[in-house]
Amino acid sequence: DSEPTPAAAIAALFNALKEQINEVRLSEHVSQGRSSESIPVAALAAELTSKGISISEERITEVLSMMSAPQGVTFDQVHGVDIQTLEGVKDALHQTLHPDERLSSTSGLLLYGPPGCGKTLLAQALASQKGLKLFVVDAPFFSSGTPDQQCERITALWAVCQAVGPSILFIDECDGCFKNVHNSTRISHIKKTWQTAGGGGGRCLIIGATNNPGVIDAGIMSRFGEKIEFHLPDADARVKIWEQSIHQMGYTHELSNDEITRLSADSEGWSGRDIYLCVEKVAMRMNRLHKGTPKSPLKFANFEEHLSNTKPSRQDADVTPQPRQPPQPRLTAGQKRQERQRRGQQPSGKRQ
């Protein structure tokens, strides 16, 4: 038998866990709805206070504003992960779906690799397919304000994500807030309070995404129990991404198999996002040129100009930063003279 595709394997995984997710019991005020407007802030603040966590309603409202409920995102749209990564996803999700189990503090999931390769899509697919709430934050959320304000905001984030769970907390470009720089107060507080959201209580799966994992603080890195590497899409994956992107733009196409294969070959080195943006440009031009008329199927000629003018957004430095070269030692006058003699040069100021 042929090896199942990553998308099929993930789908099978969640089908197997279908009954398990029904065992999760939500708080009464959370089960009333999935949008932030349907969660009474005052009731949530009172619930947290009863647990010894004092957070202002303003902070709770700020965190809830980052909550969404993605719809229609499927695992077929996720490319860039191989079949061997799925056990890590299974373990991480299992912890989220079983809040009564005693979990370790290593309950996070780190997604790393080139930008535009599906890290965000995986988080959205997890939330969409299993009805989980999704909180999306980025580095400025953690780093803005004074150290005390940062700690207050982090405490609110952890607590709210767990209280309204089961949920996913997706931290985009997490290297920007998790790298060990001079702000040791923020890093220490993140380590201290991490378990509030994703540790002993479960209910929240913390997912970090980065294209620069090497700069993340070692203590925070250890809290990511699973680490999954994403890759640029191969030729077969690029074919699927071209077709899916055309469909998402609301168009059909009249591309032959050879033309689709050529699109894939000409976009070697592109990320999934690069392909999507190229299709978006084509769709925008078609919408402008044929405004008010039915959409015509796209042809290969519609893409030719954009293929030649589009460069892949990924650079090697996006994933693996070049190490700094150590400073060269200063040479003494004697060493400079010896170096000139070795090169056959005359000392400065002297002439033959």
Side-chain angles (χ1 to χ4, degrees):
D1 295 339
S2 60
E3 186 180 41
T5 64
I10 295 177
L13 161 66
F14 288 110
N15 286 333
L17 294 174
K18 183 177 180 180
E19 296 302 323
Q20 296 177 354
I21 196 171
N22 293 329
E23 299 174 5
V24 177
R25 296 294 180 264
L26 308 183
S27 301
E28 180 179 355
H29 71 271
V30 175
S31 62
Q32 296 173 357
R34 294 177 60 201
S35 66
S36 59
E37 293 80 4
S38 64
I39 300 177
V41 175
L44 182 53
E47 178 180 319
L48 294 174
T49 300
S50 69
K51 297 178 180 179
I53 305 174
S54 179
I55 303 175
S56 68
E57 293 187 14
E58 180 183 0
R59 285 288 183 222
I60 292 176
T61 301
E62 179 185 15
V63 174
L64 289 176
S65 69
M66 302 173 184
M67 188 181 82
S68 63
Q71 302 291 326
V73 184
T74 68
F75 297 108
D76 289 335
Q77 297 171 244
V78 181
H79 305 278
V81 290
D82 56 58
I83 199 71
Q84 297 177 352
T85 67
L86 299 180
E87 285 303 315
V89 178
K90 178 179 179 180
D91 292 340
L93 184 67
H94 180 82
Q95 291 182 358
T96 303
L97 299 183
H98 292 270
D100 296 331
E101 293 185 3
R102 294 294 179 183
L103 307 178
S104 69
S105 60
T106 56
S107 58
L109 185 65
L110 181 68
L111 313 179
Y112 66 98
C117 289
K119 297 184 288 292
T120 303
L121 273 175
L122 178 58
Q124 292 174 339
L126 283 168
S128 174
Q129 295 301 299
K130 288 292 122 183
L132 304 179
K133 301 172 185 66
L134 176 64
F135 293 83
V136 179
V137 299
D138 53 16
F141 176 88
F142 289 84
S143 58
S144 60
T146 66
D148 287 344
Q149 290 173 331
Q150 293 172 14
C151 292
E152 179 185 350
R153 192 179 290 112
I154 291 167
T155 298
L157 178 66
W158 287 165
V160 171
C161 287
Q162 184 186 15
V164 304
S167 63
I168 293 173
L169 169 57
F170 182 77
I171 306 172
D172 197 15
E173 298 180 353
C174 65
D175 54 286
C177 53
F178 289 163
K179 59 184 176 183
N180 193 2
V181 290
H182 299 299
N183 192 344
S184 59
T185 300
R186 182 180 75 240
I187 295 296
S188 298
H189 191 71
I190 291 174
K191 295 176 184 177
K192 180 181 178 181
T193 58
W194 182 288
Q195 193 166 352
T196 302
R203 298 175 65 82
C204 178
L205 173 60
I206 301 174
I207 300 179
T210 178
N211 54 13
N212 194 5
V215 302
I216 295 177
D217 176 86
I220 292 181
M221 180 66 84
S222 68
R223 285 162 170 76
F224 287 110
E226 298 291 341
K227 303 170 183 66
I228 295 179
E229 183 175 9
F230 279 66
H231 304 277
L232 290 171
D234 59 19
D236 291 339
R238 292 195 299 274
V239 167
K240 295 178 181 178
I241 296 172
W242 278 107
E243 293 178 329
Q244 290 171 351
S245 298
I246 292 172
H247 177 73
Q248 289 173 348
M249 287 293 111
Y251 277 87
T252 59
H253 68 80
E254 294 180 347
L255 300 169
S256 66
N257 290 336
D258 288 342
E259 289 173 330
I260 283 283
T261 301
R262 182 178 169 186
L263 282 178
S264 174
D266 289 347
S267 57
E268 183 177 3
W270 291 22
S271 68
R273 183 185 300 149
D274 293 331
I275 295 174
Y276 178 85
L277 291 176
C278 181
V279 175
E280 184 179 53
K281 290 178 182 178
V282 171
M284 290 174 62
R285 172 172 291 186
M286 294 292 289
N287 291 342
R288 178 175 58 84
L289 295 177
H290 305 284
K291 185 176 181 180
T293 62
K295 294 181 178 180
S296 302
L298 298 179
K299 298 178 171 55
F300 185 82
N302 299 125
F303 296 96
E304 285 186 297
E305 178 182 350
H306 294 282
L307 283 171
S308 59
N309 293 334
T310 302
K311 302 297 182 183
S313 60
R314 178 206 180 250
Q315 301 293 332
D316 290 340
D318 290 334
V319 182
T320 306
Q322 297 297 319
R324 293 182 178 180
Q325 297 296 327
Q328 297 297 321
R330 296 179 65 111
L331 300 179
T332 65
Q335 289 172 328
K336 291 180 179 178
R337 184 168 55 251
Q338 291 176 356
E339 181 66 16
R340 285 195 297 266
Q341 291 174 352
R342 185 182 69 82
R343 296 180 179 179
Q345 298 176 353
Q346 291 295 323
S348 58
K350 294 183 179 182
R351 300 185 182 181
Q352 293 182 336

